[in-house]
Amino acid sequence: MKHKGSQILLESMIKEGVDTIFGFPGGAVLDIYHQIPNYPLRHILTRHEQGAVHAADGYARATGRTGVALVTSGPGATNTVTGIATAYLDSVPLVVFTGQVPTKLIGNDAFQEVDIVGITRPCTKHNYLVKDVRDLAKTIKEAFYVARSGRPGPVLVDLPKDVMADACQFSYPERIAMRSYNPHYEPNLKQVRKASSLLKKAKRPVIFAGGGVIASNAHEELTWMARTLQIPVTTSMMGLGGFPGNDPLWLGMLGMHGTYVANMGINNCDLLISVGVRFDDRVTGKLESFAPEAKLVHIDIDPTSIRKNVSVDVPIVADCRLALQSLRTEVEKLLESEDLSTRYAPWREKLMAWNQAQPLCCPEGGDRIKPQAVVQKLYEITQGEAIVTTEVGQNQMWATQFYRFHQPRTWISSGGLGTMGYGFPAAIGAQIAFPDKLVLDIAGDGSIQMNSQELATAVSYGLPVKIIILNNGYLGMVRQWQELFYDRNYCSTCMHHNPDFVRLAQAYGAEGYRVERMEDLDQVLRQALESKQTTIVDVVVEQEENVYPMVPAGAGLSEMLLV
Amino acid sequence: MRHTLSVLVENEPGVLSRVAGLFSGRGFNIESLNVAPTLEQGISLMTIVTDGEEQIIEQIIKQLRKLISVIKVVDMNEIKCVDREMVLLKVNAMEQYRAEVLRIVDIFRCKVVDVSPSELTLEATGDRGKISALIQLLHRFGIKEIARTGSVTMRRSMQVD
Ligand SMILES: Cc1ncc(C[n+]2csc(CCOP(=O)(O)OP(=O)(O)O)c2C)c(N)n1
């Protein structure tokens, strides 16, 4: 029996284990939408294609599965680009299907035609234009395989309308044979041994973990390593949740808005074990003064990440989890002859002293609520049991500083691209995946307005997502830079004419609260968090509060501004 | 330092722009680039000449290997190889110069592929050094047009010193 392209597409998704797709229809994909009701697939209709891709991305980050989005050609396709680039920079497995004009019109400037394969080439892991229905099943198989294997990433598949309407025999390939793509997972044992011999010599080691730990599910191995050897741990922003944030070995996040102790730790360590990180400039500060005294071990699945920014003594190209498992075997041998954790004890004490000298703490005074206090309160109420997404800016940084993540995949934020408008749709995706969990979007009043139309999505699917707006009336993070580095010239960062967020929520059929006084905060947050509805809490906070500590762009990690 | 990279790729639409985009998107420079099908169905060979510090070249090679359409990347600087490029040159060859131009053609084992009363069009192949020397020598007669292919490279069968 012959299947239509649209049926093959949906059938193939089922074979890939997809049960939820996020999308927005249009003429070029009508054949597909016509078939969706015949399949056990849930289609989540967002209000913007960017929302659909971010939601699929949030779903993927929360579950570890591959997120799927489906949109139409032309403007539908271009609206996905920010979402795709966001997933690309954070290595999120995503398959995005775009409609395309019929093959015979491609290249003719047809109505709603755009070369989306060309546009997304630099921000996808790979992409495809399917020109023949007989290539469809194989292409989909490859797309899912490429998206989730190796270093994960977004893959786009462009589907011309006639290919969806054409028919052919359907057989889904059992196996993949790609001569040009064979990700490498196993670590090189010689390198692993070198790493363990560095541990044997070290006196001041630090583990630096990133998003790769979460992507490869290596948090248990990492935690074992740190606790057994009693090595202090810092993470990049993407690595939050990869190590329990309430463990005494936890130093806090590293980098521009990282903790004093983490940055001092890097500055003074003699061995840095980096796992699944890519040494982003927000993390390293000035490269020449990054970890100046340390030998560097770098574990990463992507060889291009190694030696891209910093020079490495022991490169280990491998899946983080497998590499740590292999390192564990070596470490167990080491431990037979010496209890390394005792050797590292003076180092831990030194770090503890630094931490006591400059701890992260919520500032006091002033009439208005401190934004830090809001995040602290959220942690206190939830005990770290929520999935937290964020927008971008100060809200995001305060979330990293004052919320503590104990579990991987409970922290969902746009790291690499820093996409305002990401948090709320991502929260929708996470809530779809985990209907019973508490999902919070910590937002700024600027960012939330970039995708607030998704309130309709959240309400229509009955999603109890909570949006906590730290409303400072500014594009706060940019204003902070203007204050510190541009003579307080607050050009175009004041958010005049913010909407009334409570009424905005109500207009969509959601719940809205406003808090202006510290004494009301606890009670309102508790009430909101208990609600079963989509909820906005508009917290009016100190307008000109800044994120500290801060390493100015281009400075070394030891050159922190502390208050 | 200049490096010649030999890159086997899937012969599919867009592969050239994937490779070229990798260079432009990262600010790497391409000095020359050649593509043509190989004996094997569906596979093309690209020869890319690029320039940069060792760390940049290492990144270029790794990034190329990371592209899904790339099958194999060899840094030809690391092995002994035969390196050739071809050039077509249209040279001023008025009566008084003609003999001398033809003598150079002889010495460089070029071919004359087109003639007019005032011009000669020459075809030459050789390694980069030879082509550059030829161009330099012909300069004083006046080169009117030039078309170079850039390098194509192949591993030598015997890797002896
Ligand atoms: C799409 C997008 N546009 C612009 C920026 C630049 N940017 C980074 S932070 C920021 C301010 C965000 O303001 P708000 O959402 O109110 O958060 P706050 O910093 O006040 O917490 C801006 C404009 C960005 N990151 N993303």
Side-chain angles (χ1 to χ4, degrees):
Chain A
M1 195 188 95
K2 287 196 169 182
H3 280 64
K4 289 188 161 194
S6 52
Q7 294 171 312
I8 292 174
L9 171 69
L10 297 169
E11 201 78 53
S12 304
M13 280 197 222
I14 305 286
K15 298 252 192 235
E16 289 296 329
V18 176
D19 55 21
T20 307
I21 49 184
F22 299 86
F24 202 94
V29 285
L30 273 178
D31 289 277
I32 305 168
Y33 275 85
H34 184 59
Q35 295 289 347
I36 288 178
N38 302 330
Y39 290 84
L41 275 170
R42 190 154 55 138
H43 179 272
I44 307 294
L45 174 66
T46 57
R47 293 299 184 272
H48 189 297
E49 288 86 354
Q50 190 186 335
V53 179
H54 287 329
D57 168 316
Y59 178 93
R61 293 193 210 209
T63 59
R65 299 170 63 187
T66 303
V68 180
L70 168 62
V71 304
T72 193
S73 68
T78 51
N79 270 351
T80 65
V81 173
T82 301
I84 292 173
T86 302
Y88 183 63
L89 281 193
D90 288 345
S91 309
V92 178
L94 215 59
V95 178
V96 177
F97 293 102
T98 48
Q100 182 54 279
V101 301
T103 42
K104 62 177 188 308
L105 295 183
I106 291 178
N108 290 357
D109 296 338
F111 176 63
Q112 293 196 329
E113 181 195 352
V114 77
D115 172 16
I116 195 65
V117 168
I119 290 173
T120 58
R121 213 167 265 141
C123 62
T124 48
K125 184 170 170 187
H126 196 53
N127 58 19
Y128 300 88
L129 167 64
V130 184
K131 284 171 122 172
D132 186 328
V133 69
R134 285 165 300 183
D135 297 335
L136 185 59
K138 173 175 166 281
T139 306
I140 296 169
K141 178 95 185 169
E142 270 187 28
F144 277 92
Y145 172 64
V146 169
R148 62 182 156 222
S149 58
R151 177 181 183 165
V155 174
L156 181 137
V157 185
D158 202 18
L159 304 166
K161 190 171 163 99
D162 55 329
V163 173
M164 289 297 97
D166 272 1
C168 74
Q169 283 294 340
F170 173 58
S171 78
Y172 201 61
E174 297 261 313
R175 272 194 275 134
I176 296 271
M178 292 175 74
R179 57 185 162 192
S180 52
Y181 177 68
N182 298 293
H184 178 86
Y185 294 101
E186 294 288 340
N188 175 320
L189 207 59
K190 237 168 67 190
Q191 298 297 81
V192 172
R193 294 210 173 108
K194 269 196 213 161
S196 91
S197 76
L198 288 179
L199 274 168
K200 197 171 150 74
K201 283 184 225 132
K203 294 202 178 71
R204 306 187 306 278
V206 169
I207 293 175
F208 171 31
V213 167
I214 289 160
S216 68
N217 297 315
H219 59 284
E220 276 171 22
E221 284 75 5
L222 183 90
T223 308
W224 181 89
M225 187 74 58
R227 285 183 177 160
T228 308
L229 298 175
Q230 289 289 300
I231 302 179
V233 180
T234 178
T235 70
S236 66
M237 195 182 89
M238 294 303 294
L240 290 171
F243 184 76
N246 54 356
D247 192 290
L249 290 166
W250 166 241
L251 301 177
M253 188 177 80
L254 181 67
M256 180 175 274
H257 292 297
T259 59
Y260 178 74
V261 59
N263 286 336
M264 289 304 280
I266 292 297
N267 226 9
N268 290 277
C269 67
D270 65 355
L271 174 63
L272 187 60
I273 308 225
S274 316
V275 193
V277 293
R278 63 188 167 88
F279 297 99
D280 182 294
D281 49 291
R282 283 288 191 270
V283 149
T284 60
K286 187 164 68 192
L287 277 172
E288 300 81 72
S289 55
F290 180 78
E293 295 165 29
K295 292 265 185 230
L296 216 104
V297 175
H298 190 182
I299 303 172
D300 205 293
I301 189 140
D302 180 359
T304 62
S305 284
I306 289 175
R307 272 203 286 268
K308 182 160 57 185
N309 301 323
V310 295
S311 69
V312 174
D313 299 287
V314 182
I316 303 179
V317 177
D319 175 73
C320 294
R321 180 146 169 261
L322 295 180
L324 287 175
Q325 279 172 355
S326 163
L327 188 56
R328 174 175 179 156
T329 315
E330 296 303 310
V331 163
E332 279 169 343
K333 284 187 216 156
L334 284 186
L335 289 174
E336 286 166 16
S337 56
E338 187 190 353
D339 176 9
L340 288 169
S341 73
T342 340
R343 165 127 58 93
Y344 304 151
W347 170 233
R348 285 192 301 275
E349 274 158 34
K350 194 160 187 180
L351 288 165
M352 238 183 300
W354 273 321
N355 197 28
Q356 263 154 19
Q358 295 290 345
L360 267 182
C361 52
C362 181
E364 287 174 16
D367 299 334
R368 296 219 176 148
I369 300 173
K370 298 285 182 188
Q372 297 93 331
V374 183
V375 179
Q376 225 165 30
K377 187 56 90 180
L378 285 170
Y379 177 67
E380 186 189 311
I381 298 173
T382 61
Q383 290 297 304
E385 289 296 311
I387 296 178
V388 175
T389 72
T390 72
E391 303 297 336
V392 168
Q394 295 180 316
N395 58 85
Q396 180 183 34
M397 291 302 118
W398 286 318
T400 66
Q401 293 180 334
F402 293 92
Y403 200 93
R404 304 230 156 179
F405 299 91
H406 305 166
Q407 290 294 327
R409 305 194 181 282
T410 56
W411 160 252
I412 297 178
S413 188
S414 169
L417 199 66
T419 310
M420 289 172 72
Y422 169 80
F424 178 36
I428 289 177
Q431 188 84 77
I432 291 276
F434 296 104
D436 299 327
K437 283 203 182 165
L438 179 60
V439 181
L440 309 174
D441 173 34
I442 297 180
D445 49 311
S447 300
I448 193 62
Q449 293 181 65
M450 286 212 174
N451 274 318
S452 56
Q453 77 286 348
E454 300 305 335
L455 277 163
T457 309
V459 169
S460 66
Y461 292 96
L463 305 176
V465 171
K466 309 288 177 291
I467 301 169
I468 317 294
I469 302 176
L470 307 178
N471 189 344
N472 53 15
Y474 279 108
L475 299 173
M477 185 57 97
V478 183
R479 186 210 52 76
Q480 173 168 346
W481 284 50
Q482 289 173 328
E483 176 185 334
L484 298 176
F485 311 115
Y486 293 89
D487 297 332
R488 292 178 185 260
N489 176 10
Y490 293 171
C491 175
S492 294
T493 45
C494 186
M495 292 265 97
H496 301 294
H497 301 293
N498 266 339
D500 177 332
F501 289 109
V502 173
R503 285 166 66 192
L504 181 74
Q506 288 162 352
Y508 281 102
E511 252 173 38
Y513 299 87
R514 178 172 299 113
V515 196
E516 298 186 38
R517 296 181 316 164
M518 192 61 199
E519 41 295 15
D520 302 331
L521 184 67
D522 183 86
Q523 187 255 323
V524 177
L525 283 181
R526 281 178 199 276
Q527 192 178 344
L529 265 43
E530 266 165 29
S531 160
K532 296 278 172 272
Q533 300 190 32
T534 310
T535 303
I536 288 185
V537 186
D538 181 22
V539 189
V540 181
V541 297
E542 185 74 56
Q543 289 208 289
E544 298 195 23
E545 190 60 41
N546 286 342
V547 185
Y548 289 118
M550 176 180 197
V551 179
L557 290 185
S558 61
E559 304 167 64
M560 302 186 85
L561 310 175
L562 291 166
V563 263
Chain B
M1 197 174 132
R2 284 165 47 84
H3 277 249
T4 304
L5 306 177
S6 195
V7 186
L8 278 181
V9 297
E10 300 282 353
N11 184 0
E12 61 194 12
V15 66
L16 179 60
S17 98
R18 279 184 210 283
V19 170
L22 184 154
F23 278 79
S24 63
R26 292 185 160 74
F28 301 149
N29 192 31
I30 296 181
E31 195 173 296
S32 74
L33 184 149
N34 258 294
V35 204
T38 62
L39 283 178
E40 207 168 329
Q41 181 100 48
I43 297 186
S44 289
L45 178 68
M46 290 188 182
T47 309
I48 303 174
V49 180
T50 182
D51 197 6
E53 290 167 29
E54 288 314 295
Q55 191 260 350
I56 300 276
I57 301 290
E58 182 182 328
Q59 263 299 309
I60 291 177
I61 293 173
K62 285 175 172 175
Q63 296 284 0
L64 281 168
R65 290 194 174 129
K66 191 165 147 180
L67 289 180
I68 308 284
S69 316
V70 168
I71 299 164
K72 190 173 173 193
V73 183
V74 180
D75 183 352
M76 301 305 268
N77 285 37
E78 294 187 344
I79 52 178
K80 301 254 172 285
C81 51
V82 189
D83 183 26
R84 290 288 179 276
E85 72 174 282
M86 189 183 112
V87 66
L88 291 174
L89 290 152
K90 194 172 283 166
V91 189
N92 221 342
M94 305 298 278
E95 199 52 48
Q96 66 266 40
Y97 305 139
R98 188 162 289 233
E100 209 177 335
V101 171
L102 284 172
R103 198 156 51 241
I104 293 173
V105 166
D106 224 24
I107 295 168
F108 277 79
R109 271 172 265 155
C110 311
K111 258 197 254 163
V112 176
V113 290
D114 187 38
V115 192
S116 80
S118 60
E119 294 168 352
L120 286 174
T121 302
L122 314 179
E123 170 200 312
T125 57
D127 63 18
R128 199 181 138 79
K130 173 178 163 184
I131 302 291
S132 301
L134 175 67
I135 291 171
Q136 219 174 354
L137 279 172
L138 291 174
H139 237 321
R140 64 193 163 103
F141 307 109
I143 299 175
K144 294 191 157 170
E145 232 180 291
I146 190 164
R148 284 173 85 159
T149 59
S151 284
V152 287
T153 322
M154 194 174 275
R155 182 181 195 280
R156 283 190 189 275
S157 303
M158 290 172 59
Q159 293 285 306
V160 287
D161 282 314

